[in-house]
Amino acid sequence: MYDSNPTLEGIKTIDEAKQGNVLFKEHWQESSVPGGKKFYIESYGCQMNFSDSEIVASILNDVGYSPTRNVEESDLILINTCSIREKAEETVRKRLRFFESIKKQRPGTKVGVLGCMAERLKKQWLEEEKLVDLVVGPDAYRDLPNLIGGAEEGHRLINVLLSREETYADINPVRLESNGITAFISIMRGCDNMCSFCVVPFTRGRERSRDPFSILAEATGLFENGYREVTLLGQNVDSFKWENPETGERVNFANLLEMTALIHPNLRVRFSTSHPKDMTDDVLHVMAKYDNICKYIHLPVQSGNSRVLEMMNRTYDRPWYEDRIEAIRRILPDAAVSSDIITGFCSETEEEHRDTLNIVEWANFSMSYMFFYSERPGTLAARKYADDIPEEVKKRRLNEIIRLQNAVSLRHNQADIGKTFNVLIEGNSRKSDLDFCGRNTQNKMMVFPKKEGLKPGDYALVRVKDATSATLLGEIV
Ligand code: 5AD
Ligand code: SF4
């Protein structure tokens, strides 16, 4: 039996997006070795988790497991989990009840819990959940073949060792949920910040950066295979740092961004997530220099009030955040900025809440991911502060923020009516096969009627005719 008691250091906020998205989508090709085994994987939480599932798929492919979309025919069911808020964990528990019914029909099927909930709850899984055969933390995926072998012999196994070195740099991810045009590249793992609300230090460990040459090789390979956009992914990309052990040469995030942009002018480069305390003007100047670096920055503010920011241990105050926004406006006048916001953090007053409303307006965020505070066991805030804002107050404040952000987003988008943008066509729009969809440099989704001769992966100049708070509607010029 594997077990570990890793040092729980470091912290991080993540760019969380889609809760509960299942990995397999249209463009992914099922393939199988005759007589080979099949695995089914579902991912929850942030983009980093989706990216990790592609590393897991690659490791499993190498030992003869091919992916399937059909859970009922799988020999191995994996669920890559998220711990960021209580609700995310509840969703995973519900899915496990469903997998239990599958396992009853196919008793040989093994079930593995991966990712942040595996790391957070460790051995508890094997004690509490009879159906779980494997518990594997985010730094232990190379051990999967070995653990699966043990599970096939009837053992229930766990490896939740965190690492200071693992970056999976040499593993070529199997693109599971791909449109063939845009891809995520993980450039670092873990986080060394100490935001008091965040569970990530306990689940993803210390921050480490990946060898930049393996990142460039992955991006180049994607471009050669028809991809036209890469998003460099990390919990805090601005603190990317790497030193060549032989030459002592150093690479920071601004350098990495520039090297990636130089691969090809037709390869767009995005990145996420930036931390206000680390985002330098150097990065902004590199963004200004290259047309193919998209003019969009996800810069989570969390709160608009300096006292709350201090309690959150974000290590910046409101004037610092405002200064970063002003630097963006100065150096990149056309950039869009988006944010993450938490309402109802410990002891937050109505007046402090109004400061958050007011920074949404002041910063003119193009959009935000908005949450009410969910206390996570073991975090700094859980140990130091009372979770004392009643749930209905947290939710009311959240609704006020959402309502305001929607209005600000609508205004932001309406200001684009009449402008023309270069759009990378990603595919058909969700609503109609007669329309394409794609993003502009500011990461705004645009929908427009198709035109003969254009296909996904091409760029098109599109003029905005109308706007909602989420989408720009246009036509090719
Ligand atoms: N409660 C609510 N939201 C949280 N986030 C992180 N931890 C918590 C928590 N305990 C939010 C932050 C972060 C985003 C990914 O999730 O806004 O930036
Ligand atoms: Fe991603 Fe883990 Fe954070 Fe969830 S808790 S959003 S899986 S890093």
Side-chain angles (χ1 to χ4, degrees), residues 221-234:
L222 285 164
F223 183 72
E224 284 166 355
N225 279 297
Y227 285 78
R228 289 294 173 264
E229 182 180 296
V230 293
T231 302
L232 306 179
L233 215 56

Side-chain angles (χ1 to χ4, degrees), residues 14 16 44-46 49 81-84 116 199-200 203-204 235:
I14 61 225
E16 185 200 54
Y44 293 83
C46 63
N49 251 12
T81 60
C82 175
S83 290
I84 196 87
C116 291
V199 76
V200 174
T203 62
R204 285 191 166 269
Q235 260 99 17

Side-chain angles (χ1 to χ4, degrees), residues 172-341:
N172 198 13
V174 170
R175 305 284 161 190
L176 288 170
E177 193 203 1
S178 174
N179 55 14
I181 309 295
T182 60
F184 289 91
I185 300 183
S186 170
I187 63 162
M188 56 209 293
R189 301 182 69 81
C191 184
D192 281 352
N193 295 328
M194 286 299 286
C195 306
S196 62
F197 50 79
C198 189
V199 76
V200 174
F202 304 95
T203 62
R204 285 191 166 269
R206 294 302 300 262
E207 180 184 289
R208 63 225 101 115
S209 299
R210 180 176 162 190
D211 177 339
F213 300 102
S214 74
I215 298 169
L216 295 174
E218 189 173 329
T220 307
L222 285 164
F223 183 72
E224 284 166 355
N225 279 297
Y227 285 78
R228 289 294 173 264
E229 182 180 296
V230 293
T231 302
L232 306 179
L233 215 56
Q235 260 99 17
N236 181 6
V237 291
D238 300 283
S239 64
F240 179 92
K241 54 179 165 310
W242 186 82
E243 190 174 325
N244 188 323
E246 276 142 40
T247 62
E249 176 202 7
R250 289 190 182 168
V251 178
N252 65 20
F253 182 61
N255 307 140
L256 177 71
L257 198 55
E258 180 153 29
M259 291 191 285
T260 316
L262 284 168
I263 291 174
H264 198 284
N266 281 349
L267 181 68
R268 274 185 166 182
V269 187
R270 298 187 185 276
F271 55 87
S272 190
T273 296
S274 303
H275 194 299
K277 86 173 156 58
D278 295 319
M279 193 198 65
T280 63
D281 287 2
D282 282 357
V283 168
L284 302 178
H285 287 299
V286 169
M287 290 176 75
K289 194 167 156 195
Y290 295 93
D291 273 350
N292 59 328
I293 303 182
C294 291
K295 306 298 180 273
Y296 168 68
I297 302 176
H298 185 59
L299 193 70
V301 67
Q302 311 297 359
S303 164
N305 176 270
S306 293
R307 186 192 74 90
V308 175
L309 286 170
E310 163 123 42
M311 283 181 70
M312 288 177 164
N313 202 24
R314 289 288 287 175
T315 70
Y316 56 85
D317 56 10
R318 179 169 178 145
W320 176 281
Y321 189 88
E322 289 181 351
D323 172 75
R324 294 293 73 210
I325 295 284
E326 276 162 359
I328 296 169
R329 302 284 175 247
R330 194 169 58 242
I331 301 167
L332 299 165
D334 292 328
V337 179
S338 63
S339 187
D340 290 348
I341 292 164

